[in-house]
Amino acid sequence: MDKPLHPQTLAAQGLGRVTETYREIVPPIHASTTYERGADGSYPGGRVYSRADNPGYDAAEALISRLENAKAAMLFSSGQAAAGSVFTALMPGDNALVPRNMYWALRKWLLEFAKPRGLGIELYENASIDDLAAKARASRARVIWIETPANPTWDITDIAAAASISREVGAVLAVDSTVATPMLTRPLDLGANIVMHSVTKYLNGHSDVIGGVLATAADDEFWQKVRYVRSAGGAVLGPFEAWLLLRGMRTLPLRVATACANAMAIAQRFQLHPGFSHILYPGLATHPGHVVAKRQMSGGFGGMLSVRVRAGEQASKDFTARLRVFKRATSLGSVESLAEHRASVEGPGSTCPTDLVRLSVGIEHVDDLIADIEDAIR
Ligand SMILES: Cc1ncc(COP(=O)(O)O)c(C=O)c1O
């Protein structure tokens, strides 16, 4: 068949590869940590040791590569390990530019761990390409990091505009696209060099795997350094987790479409509600990033939104406590809806507004989710 298959078909079939011996529709789990040498010392199976690689990664990495239009993908033991590997591949004295609003644990690691060890870390305003450009030119940044939509206010960064600046200064442009997923945005098609996901979130989608992935536009020197960081550093995914990830990805398009529709319905239903001062969702025309989001996201604006409770911090904690259908838990991107008072999770040093509650909208019936929010804010 010459016509390229749609992402929905590729995902549903896990690329449709059938293994030779038993013609299984579902691939096996490869538990072996080591592989036999031939008598001549070679490795006829092409594998040596599972800290470098595992055959169970192949299908998941290939599917993510196809969905992201990437040359190659690499699984990691967590999203943090995947993101950290990009920065670990740099040298002391190199500069990296990262957004002011981003996944808080990565910002904390960069500022409190990587920076004291010699990496230059500068923050730019997420939505300001002028700020990003000025700082990238002044620092000759080696890596420019984007998270879009960005935790926890869902700020949008223009990936194509950032890509033209990163080309100008010779930086690697890496995009944390965890919230957008490959179903809504394809950063490599917009000029990024590397795309990263916490697969813990939408790609696996069932709150039962911690994992991460990087996918690259080119199998170049930088990618080989990152590959070395994984195999030598050892932050590899377990074989069962890789298998669960592939199983989860088979329903990614359906789950993302439903989460997007539910989140949009909730945002529209509550945008004028007197109990909330702000509904932060890039799908609303009132969101500052809406125009750029419309350009670089297709098929929806994601399943993440935040609400700010007008009556302040204590009222936002009370609102969270009264939710019944939304479960009070951190994380995002799963089939069940989650809510959290974000500043409490991020702790001291958080830049999150103290009246903000982050909602990860799942695939439940939207009327149940809306009724839950209505009851809790009343
Ligand atoms: C946007 C984003 N990036 C990265 C991470 C880190 O991923 P992990 O928890 O898999 O290490 C998270 C986790 O919440 C996240 O939300």
Side-chain angles (χ1 to χ4, degrees):
M1 191 154 90
D2 295 336
K3 239 171 115 184
L5 296 173
H6 293 85
Q8 287 80 355
T9 309
L10 296 170
Q13 302 196 351
L15 279 190
R17 290 178 181 171
V18 173
T19 50
E20 270 313 320
T21 312
Y22 298 112
R23 309 299 296 159
E24 295 148 300
I25 297 298
V26 173
I29 298 174
H30 295 272
S32 187
T33 54
T34 191
Y35 303 87
E36 192 185 36
R37 281 185 194 256
D40 62 355
S42 69
Y43 285 98
R47 307 287 167 142
V48 179
Y49 186 58
S50 288
R51 201 187 64 231
D53 219 337
N54 182 307
Y57 297 169
D58 295 357
E61 290 181 345
L63 176 56
I64 293 168
S65 290
R66 282 290 286 278
L67 296 178
E68 289 289 7
N69 201 13
K71 274 276 178 315
M74 221 188 302
L75 295 177
F76 287 83
S77 56
S78 68
Q80 275 286 90
S85 298
V86 172
F87 297 96
T88 310
L90 296 176
M91 294 295 284
D94 284 346
N95 292 318
L97 203 51
V98 306
R100 190 169 298 284
N101 284 330
M102 65 188 292
Y103 175 55
W104 70 283
L106 180 58
R107 185 180 55 215
K108 188 174 160 71
W109 179 81
L110 287 166
L111 294 175
E112 295 179 11
F113 189 90
K115 195 171 176 180
R117 284 161 182 77
L119 213 60
I121 302 289
E122 201 174 3
L123 307 180
Y124 68 89
E125 298 302 330
N126 295 57
S128 172
I129 286 297
D130 290 346
D131 189 42
L132 186 153
K135 287 175 177 161
R137 288 179 189 127
S139 69
R140 306 303 295 175
R142 286 272 293 121
V143 163
I144 298 175
W145 186 263
I146 287 178
E147 181 180 321
T148 185
N151 268 288
T153 44
W154 319 114
D155 296 342
I156 301 291
T157 303
D158 186 333
I159 298 172
S164 92
I165 293 153
S166 76
R167 275 193 300 274
E168 178 196 317
V169 302
V172 171
L173 181 68
V175 180
D176 180 344
S177 197
T178 298
V179 170
T181 82
M183 304 318 300
L184 308 179
T185 305
R186 297 217 298 192
L188 304 183
D189 289 353
L190 297 167
N193 305 99
I194 289 179
V195 58
M196 173 255 155
H197 295 275
S198 164
V199 307
T200 313
K201 318 300 179 189
Y202 290 99
L203 293 192
N204 175 62
H206 294 76
S207 299
D208 54 12
V209 166
I210 293 280
V213 72
L214 297 174
T216 185
D219 188 358
D220 55 12
E221 199 188 329
F222 190 77
W223 184 250
Q224 288 310 319
K225 279 188 194 154
V226 175
R227 183 167 284 289
Y228 178 73
V229 171
R230 186 183 75 167
S231 65
V236 285
L237 197 64
F240 183 53
E241 285 72 14
W243 185 89
L244 277 177
L245 169 63
L246 185 67
R247 185 172 76 160
M249 284 195 293
R250 287 173 175 244
T251 54
L252 175 71
L254 289 175
R255 289 186 284 102
V256 170
T258 304
C260 286
N262 284 355
M264 181 61 110
I266 291 170
Q268 288 173 336
R269 170 67 186 78
F270 292 102
Q271 63 177 327
L272 299 176
H273 191 288
F276 299 115
S277 62
H278 300 81
I279 303 292
L280 302 170
Y281 185 62
L284 292 179
T286 48
H287 190 281
H290 179 66
V291 172
V292 177
K294 233 163 102 175
R295 202 162 59 228
Q296 70 187 21
M297 301 179 84
S298 64
F301 296 92
M304 295 304 301
L305 75 153
S306 295
V307 297
R308 292 183 64 179
V309 177
R310 193 179 294 282
E313 178 174 354
Q314 189 53 48
S316 70
K317 289 180 179 167
D318 294 345
F319 165 73
T320 314
R322 281 197 295 266
L323 291 166
R324 291 287 173 268
V325 181
F326 280 84
K327 303 300 172 210
R328 279 179 302 284
T330 197
S331 200
L332 59 97
S334 187
V335 286
E336 71 282 336
S337 293
L338 303 177
E340 66 178 352
H341 180 256
R342 191 66 194 161
S344 303
V345 172
E346 295 189 7
S350 167
T351 54
C352 178
T354 55
D355 57 8
L356 182 146
V357 179
R358 190 180 85 169
L359 301 177
S360 171
V361 180
I363 64 166
E364 302 92 337
H365 197 291
V366 72
D367 292 351
D368 294 336
L369 299 175
I370 287 176
D372 195 32
I373 297 172
E374 250 161 16
D375 285 349
I377 196 65
R378 190 173 295 136

